[in-house]
Amino acid sequence: MPLFPSLPAMLSVLKLFIIPVGGGIPAGVLLAQAKGLAWPITTGLYLVSDLVLALAFEPILRLFAALCGKVPFLARFSAALKAATARSVEHFSGTRAGPFALVMIAFGVDPMTGRTTAHAAGHGFLAGWAFAIAGDMLYFAVIALTTLRLNSYFRDPNTTMLIVLGAMFVVPMLVRYVRSTWMPQKQY
């Protein structure tokens, strides 16, 4: 493995990580492995993709927040979002959106939702994105390790990606089903 990987190899992996939905993580991890990129470099590239997302999404979030104060419909939407956020984070941390709850929201949904929730809870740019990126990096670790482990068994990147993508969609639905049928519901 070369000490310094080639720039084209790193850029091709970064492009896959920047894709905000779908198979960006499994595809990027498998491509990084095929190109001989070490795991710290692969993880660093994913962190860079999160930082790019933060710089691209924050102006949109700020614009939306500014419009919420001026447009009645958006003000109602903002109030509904804050109420839904309060109900969601109560599962993690009681009644307020603390750091653990915000990290878990970013882990369970996506970093943009994590940042939006952090903004609704009153956290600024740095703290809000720190929580969101921490949750997304945990998600990356779980998906990357799962992808690499499965690929060591199947030795076929396409099969591995299909299994990981299927699990990314099916496992959350199963968790919601199990929680709704086996755990008592709180009344809000």
Side-chain angles (χ1 to χ4, degrees), residues 166-185:
M168 288 166 65
F169 289 107
V170 172
V171 169
M173 289 188 298
L174 289 174
V175 168
R176 280 193 297 273
Y177 174 76
V178 167
R179 287 183 74 189
S180 69
T181 57
W182 293 353
M183 299 177 87
Q185 297 291 324

Side-chain angles (χ1 to χ4, degrees), residues 5-21 23-33 35 37-55 136-137 140:
S6 71
L7 185 61
M10 291 192 308
L11 286 176
S12 61
V13 171
L14 180 62
K15 287 178 198 175
L16 285 172
F17 288 156
I18 287 178
I19 297 171
V21 294
I25 295 173
V29 166
L30 291 172
L31 181 62
Q33 184 183 41
K35 299 263 186 194
L37 297 178
W39 70 264
I41 292 173
T42 304
T43 305
L45 289 170
Y46 192 77
L47 178 62
V48 168
S49 76
D50 274 353
L51 296 174
V52 168
L53 173 68
L55 293 175
D136 195 44
M137 292 302 292
F140 169 78

Side-chain angles (χ1 to χ4, degrees), residues 6-166:
S6 71
L7 185 61
M10 291 192 308
L11 286 176
S12 61
V13 171
L14 180 62
K15 287 178 198 175
L16 285 172
F17 288 156
I18 287 178
I19 297 171
V21 294
I25 295 173
V29 166
L30 291 172
L31 181 62
Q33 184 183 41
K35 299 263 186 194
L37 297 178
W39 70 264
I41 292 173
T42 304
T43 305
L45 289 170
Y46 192 77
L47 178 62
V48 168
S49 76
D50 274 353
L51 296 174
V52 168
L53 173 68
L55 293 175
F57 182 70
E58 187 69 18
I60 295 167
L61 177 66
R62 295 294 175 152
L63 176 66
F64 188 70
L67 287 174
C68 283
K70 299 185 184 341
V71 179
F73 166 75
L74 291 177
R76 290 190 304 276
F77 178 78
S78 175
L81 178 65
K82 286 182 182 181
T85 299
R87 285 192 307 274
S88 296
V89 273
E90 188 174 324
H91 296 290
F92 296 110
S93 65
T95 58
R96 57 190 257 331
F100 179 74
L102 296 171
V103 168
M104 288 297 101
I105 288 170
F107 175 84
V109 184
D110 63 42
M112 294 174 287
T113 304
R115 172 58 185 126
T116 302
T117 305
H119 182 73
H123 295 284
F125 176 79
L126 287 178
W129 276 109
F131 299 139
I133 289 173
D136 195 44
M137 292 302 292
L138 286 173
Y139 182 75
F140 169 78
V142 168
I143 299 299
L145 291 172
T146 302
T147 300
L148 292 173
R149 189 65 160 172
L150 275 175
N151 198 47
S152 71
Y153 293 122
F154 292 108
R155 301 199 192 292
D156 178 24
N158 292 328
T159 302
T160 301
M161 277 188 37
L162 287 174
I163 292 170
V164 171
L165 287 174

